Amino acid sequence: MTGALGGEAALTSAARGTAPSFLVGLIGAGVGPSLTPPMHEREAAASGRPLIYRTIDITELDLPPESVAELVPAARRLGYNGLNITHPCKQLVLPVLDGLTPDAEAIGAVNTVVFAGGSAIGHNTDWSGFARSLERGLPHAPRDRVVLLGAGGAGAAVAHALLVSGVRELVVADLDPERAAELADRVARRFPGARCAAADAAAPDRLLAGADGLVHATPVGMAHHPGVPVPPDLLRPPLWVADVVYRPLRTELLRSAREQGCATLDGGGMAVFQAADAFELFTGLAPDRDRMLAHFHELLAAE
Ligand code: NAD
């Protein structure tokens, strides 16, 4: 069905002598203010191709998170090229997909679904977005021992990225110790050459002792959840500090770390590069990541 619709759209475009257009969307709760739609639309426009990006906000539609299982096949029948999937649907979407990339399967969560050739394939660009951001922002940061604070959805993608990026020892901590232990076990099985363990988030001095880097992946520091997740006096060079929170970009954690002289990385790179990687999967076009980053900063400044 999808293939037929996609084929018809392409034929119509060909008959009109125009390049095919793209239709994509984002399913999640409270996604209205997401910056992903304008990032995709502007990047497509800059590439000379029409792309429409719709938000499908389950909160506004008064739908439960499980409704993603109906929304994804419906979008496919309606001729969407693909979908981004966000909180709280990244795992609930798994059963309705025809296949997963090995990375998405390893992480156990999908943020990008591509409809092509009659099937729906789940990808995870959160991990590749973070890996790319780390590579660009802190290319020479030592990675022998890295602490990951937060073992939720973002934490799972970041853990995968850190191990792929060559971290030799990953320590995972979370307010929920079971979550931390589960994530540490999962990555330990996937990356047998690295050491992965859970540690107590309530003992941050022991947690950070001897660490090269700290990656923060909890909601602490978001505009509606202000605060610092670890005591600022524990942030001392040569420790580097990365945050995945990007609203605001300058979190209290990063401000404290910079004041102490630590190298830092904000959450903007992950947000932009996950979108750029998804854009490439949806359209087959090569995004200009610097242009997308500049646009993202413009959008944030306008908020
Ligand atoms: P989540 O709810 O899935 O997980 C958050 C985890 O943090 C939970 O396991 C919770 O127990 C833990 N936690 C909360 N407070 C803590 C504390 N003080 N100390 C230790 N652990 C604590 O949420 P998520 O989807 O993983 O999102 C986390 C953050 O990442 C949010 O701010 C979100 O906006 C951000 N995020 C950013 C990007 C990006 O592209 N930059 C992508 C995804 C998520």
Side-chain angles (χ1 to χ4, degrees), residues 87 90 126 149-155 173-176 179 201 216-220 222 225 229 243-246 267-268 270-272 274:
H87 183 79
K90 287 182 184 180
D126 285 329
L149 191 60
D174 194 290
L175 271 187
D176 178 344
R179 253 186 155 180
H216 172 247
T218 88
V220 177
M222 291 178 76
H225 202 318
D243 207 334
V244 305
V245 172
Y246 64 91
M270 179 180 180
V272 173
Q274 64 78 24

